[in-house]
Amino acid sequence: HPNGHSCLGCVAVVSVIEQLAQVHNTSIQGSMERLCGYLPEKLFLKTTCDLVVHMFGSDIIKLLGAHMNADVVCHVLDFCKQDPGQPQCHLYPLPKEAWKFTLEKGRQIVKKSSSLKYPRSS
Amino acid sequence: SDICSLPFLAKICQKIKLSIKNSMPFKDVDSDKHSVFPTLRGYHWRGRDCNDSDKTAYPGRRPDNWDVHQDSNCNGIWGVDPKDGIPYEKKFCEGSQPRGIILLGDSAGAHFHIPPNWLTASQMSLHSFLNLPTALTDELDWPQFSGVTGFLDSTSGIEEKSIYLRLRKRNHCNHRDYQNISRNGASSQNLRKFIESLSRNQALDHPAIVIYAMIGNDVCNGKSDPVPQMTTPEQLYSRVMQTLHHLNSHLPNGSHVILYGLPDGTFLWDNLHNRYHPLGQLNKDVTYAQFFSFLSCLQVSPCHGWMSSNKTLRTLTSERAEQLSNTLKKIATSEKFTNFHLFYMDFAFQEIIDEWQKRGGQPWQLIEPVDGFHPNEVASLLLADRFWKKLQLQQPQVLGKENPFNPQIEKVFGDQGGH
């Protein structure tokens, strides 16, 4: 899996964002700001976090708002990719509706997005 | 997107990349392989330099003229006793047989650790990520807390000490003489790429105790079929002999080398599979079985062989591990070297589990919670305790004698400059 690590990283980060919102009963936007606020400025960590939120935040908000889980979000944002012949990798239980349908729905949601086309292994 | 492409960062990036590639200290002005900087392979990994502008001053060397004028071996003992004019190093260390501890290891030996509060929303706060810069510049390893070369107080509250701290307690002249030559993903095969970073001058330095502990990556990989890439006994024999010949040409006479066997990793699945992973604890929706499956699917598992629901594969991985341990045993009993004695020691994790359960602990508490694979700090220190006791019983000469001058050293030099 050429982008195995970025997929793993994306699912972990989106999971934390989702769970922070749940634990503190805030919006996803608020949760992302909270997470970046926890990071030290050293090594540009907080800056990098703010940059990632700037690039992907609005789509993450839309997708999580549509009750999609971290697996779906990271596939739609192209951090996770299922190459032909490769198995479908997911951390959480699969959504009740068909995976492809969920993915397509997610892609429609972000289609209108102003964000850049996601570089594959960004 | 590549921050290193910025002109003003290019040079420092290049230095950092070289440091990580060669496992050598990033900041080492006198190029003696010892540093005054903690991370980027600095003194978290090997004894702190006491004079980074003098390449003849570094931990582990025999004293220069009994350190009358300067501390040439960084053990904090130098100068002359005004009462009798005898150099302190001569008075306190001569004949005490000082020795260093050197680990040739992998991520377990380097103490790979991702703090669970980085992933646990309910525990997250402003303090959670304060250690992130240090961890990143130490490759997510924490050798300063490891079971072999750790010199900082344990964060888990367990009283057992690292092997280095025990050697230092036994003979204070060993102060700062530690080297953690380990790397994430290291195995018998790729050790040759970074064994040169081991620092020992055969003529000028004290003997060393070298622990060869490649405990997993010869049978662990992330491939969907991990078996073809597993090291065979024949390959291991040949590679370890290369390593031992390299050591024989670098270690001072009177050194010792201990080959550490591989564990039976079926323990991981047996004790973790139906427990919740930190990412799944809030909503009870991700077990380690799911986490392992996800890692294997992405082919980024640290050890597909043992972190698998396939019992046959787990058993096969353990069988290969046992064959490799037997190979190490065979080498230790049949090969002889001029500059060091060679021993073998089992990685008897079951003994650690038994000890931990005796103290009321649970087996799963001995494994890193975020990766579900590495022995955690408690396990590493219990392994160090068992290692020390075995050697004390079977090969006490390896550890050297108790130095009767330890109290005087403490009285005159206190903490000897610390770490």
Side-chain angles (χ1 to χ4, degrees):
Chain A
H1 238 275
N3 62 348
H5 285 106
S6 55
C7 177
L8 176 61
C10 174
V11 170
V13 170
V14 173
S15 298
V16 167
I17 290 170
E18 198 176 11
Q19 291 181 25
L20 272 175
Q22 185 181 339
V23 166
H24 297 285
N25 193 21
T26 65
S27 67
I28 296 298
Q29 176 72 34
S31 161
M32 290 191 286
E33 286 162 4
R34 176 189 296 270
L35 180 59
C36 291
Y38 286 156
L39 292 177
E41 199 36 81
K42 267 187 177 178
L43 299 187
F44 310 111
L45 289 169
K46 185 176 181 320
T47 308
T48 305
C49 186
D50 292 337
L51 182 67
V52 169
V53 169
H54 174 72
M55 285 179 72
F56 301 101
S58 62
D59 291 331
I60 291 173
I61 290 169
K62 289 176 195 153
L63 293 165
L64 291 178
H67 305 296
M68 295 183 171
N69 69 22
D71 291 321
V72 177
V73 172
C74 294
H75 276 83
V76 171
L77 298 185
D78 234 5
F79 282 89
C80 301
K81 222 171 163 64
Q82 181 184 7
D83 287 325
Q86 290 281 353
Q88 171 55 48
C89 300
H90 60 94
L91 178 61
Y92 294 91
L94 285 173
K96 291 176 182 51
E97 56 198 13
W99 172 264
K100 284 200 184 318
F101 172 75
T102 310
L103 217 47
E104 194 41 46
K105 199 165 86 177
R107 289 199 168 116
Q108 289 310 315
I109 288 174
V110 299
K111 199 167 193 173
K112 298 175 280 306
S113 159
S114 61
S115 306
L116 311 163
K117 177 77 194 83
Y118 304 111
R120 176 186 162 95
S121 57
S122 50
Chain B
S1 63
D2 178 4
I3 197 164
C4 285
S5 58
L6 299 174
F8 66 94
L9 286 180
K11 191 161 169 25
I12 193 169
C13 277
Q14 201 259 332
K15 275 194 72 181
I16 288 175
K17 283 177 183 171
L18 205 61
S19 157
I20 290 175
K21 178 173 168 289
N22 300 331
S23 296
M24 297 280 261
F26 160 69
K27 183 173 168 52
D28 182 14
V29 175
D30 57 12
S31 301
D32 62 2
K33 296 185 185 176
H34 291 269
S35 174
V36 294
F37 191 72
T39 60
L40 290 172
R41 294 284 166 165
Y43 63 77
H44 281 173
W45 299 81
R46 49 179 90 202
R48 182 178 183 144
D49 203 342
C50 51
N51 183 343
D52 203 21
S53 51
D54 176 355
K55 74 178 297 146
T56 66
Y58 54 86
R61 68 158 292 173
R62 298 176 192 281
D64 173 22
N65 185 27
W66 291 114
D67 282 7
V68 169
H69 301 297
Q70 70 148 355
D71 185 11
S72 69
N73 53 18
C74 302
N75 63 4
I77 302 168
W78 66 284
V80 170
D81 187 342
K83 290 200 293 297
D84 51 21
I86 299 175
Y88 283 117
E89 180 87 30
K90 182 176 177 60
K91 178 181 281 201
F92 293 152
C93 298
E94 185 179 29
S96 72
Q97 299 175 329
R99 63 205 58 213
I101 181 76
I102 298 173
L103 173 64
L104 298 176
D106 50 24
S107 49
H111 187 27
F112 181 91
H113 167 68
I114 296 177
N117 62 359
W118 288 0
L119 288 181
T120 310
S122 57
Q123 295 169 16
M124 214 171 273
S125 75
L126 264 175
H127 304 287
S128 304
F129 295 98
L130 289 180
N131 52 16
L132 183 54
T134 298
L136 288 177
T137 47
D138 268 343
E139 302 155 54
L140 293 180
D141 295 322
W142 306 67
Q144 67 275 29
F145 294 103
S146 65
V148 177
T149 63
F151 58 85
L152 292 180
D153 291 338
S154 154
T155 60
S156 52
I158 188 173
E159 67 189 22
E160 275 72 9
K161 298 289 181 227
S162 72
I163 295 170
Y164 159 67
L165 285 178
R166 292 162 188 264
L167 280 171
R168 186 193 177 283
K169 184 174 178 226
R170 193 178 191 85
N171 181 355
H172 290 8
C173 301
N174 294 333
H175 183 65
R176 288 197 192 178
D177 194 356
Y178 63 88
Q179 296 180 45
N180 196 315
I181 311 298
S182 298
R183 198 190 266 194
N184 298 339
S187 69
S188 63
Q189 181 181 13
N190 58 35
L191 171 58
R192 59 187 153 74
K193 294 177 186 168
F194 63 97
I195 194 169
E196 290 299 343
S197 69
L198 187 159
S199 156
R200 213 70 179 179
N201 181 308
Q202 195 158 59
L204 294 178
D205 295 356
H206 286 305
I209 300 169
V210 178
I211 300 175
Y212 174 97
M214 297 297 171
I215 68 164
N217 295 310
D218 283 285
V219 297
C220 288
N221 58 70
K223 298 293 179 201
S224 40
D225 176 3
V227 179
Q229 208 170 58
M230 290 182 186
T231 298
T232 64
E234 298 72 25
Q235 288 169 328
L236 184 71
Y237 201 104
S238 158
R239 293 169 187 168
V240 170
M241 287 307 292
Q242 279 178 35
T243 299
L244 294 174
H245 284 304
H246 176 96
L247 292 175
N248 198 46
S249 60
H250 284 75
L251 293 177
N253 189 270
S255 295
H256 297 89
V257 175
I258 292 120
L259 302 178
Y260 219 51
L262 285 77
D264 172 1
T266 51
F267 156 86
L268 296 170
W269 176 270
D270 295 348
N271 288 283
L272 288 177
H273 75 277
N274 56 359
R275 296 190 61 80
Y276 288 116
H277 183 271
L279 282 176
Q281 279 162 11
L282 182 66
N283 299 311
K284 305 288 182 275
D285 53 1
V286 176
T287 62
Y288 279 97
Q290 287 164 253
F291 178 66
F292 289 172
S293 166
F294 184 48
L295 293 180
S296 298
C297 180
L298 293 175
Q299 297 188 53
V300 295
S301 172
C303 194
H304 182 188
W306 277 322
M307 297 159 83
S308 164
S309 57
N310 180 334
K311 184 175 173 59
T312 308
L313 176 56
R314 299 199 302 268
T315 305
L316 196 151
T317 305
S318 291
E319 283 167 359
R320 177 63 63 87
E322 187 174 8
Q323 289 166 11
L324 299 184
S325 295
N326 291 333
T327 303
L328 294 170
K329 213 177 287 182
K330 191 169 123 190
I331 292 173
T333 50
S334 59
E335 301 288 349
K336 295 288 179 261
F337 294 88
T338 50
N339 290 316
F340 56 78
H341 290 97
L342 184 58
F343 306 97
Y344 169 82
M345 193 178 285
D346 270 329
F347 186 109
F349 208 66
Q350 192 52 49
E351 289 179 30
I352 304 303
I353 295 170
D354 297 344
E355 172 57 31
W356 184 239
Q357 286 178 312
K358 242 185 266 171
R359 302 184 189 190
Q362 295 291 316
W364 59 267
Q365 292 170 322
L366 297 171
I367 297 300
E368 281 296 329
V370 172
D371 59 55
F373 173 56
H374 292 94
N376 64 11
E377 187 181 288
V378 171
S380 304
L381 291 171
L382 290 176
L383 283 164
D385 187 51
R386 178 185 161 276
F387 176 92
W388 185 267
K389 284 173 177 160
K390 278 235 166 180
L391 277 184
Q392 266 187 323
L393 212 58
Q394 297 167 3
Q395 309 287 350
Q397 76 284 2
V398 174
L399 304 174
K401 301 172 291 187
E402 191 93 22
N403 185 346
F405 294 104
N406 287 334
Q408 281 100 306
I409 293 171
E410 284 173 31
K411 197 163 155 221
V412 177
F413 295 104
D415 72 350
Q416 298 167 248
H419 293 95

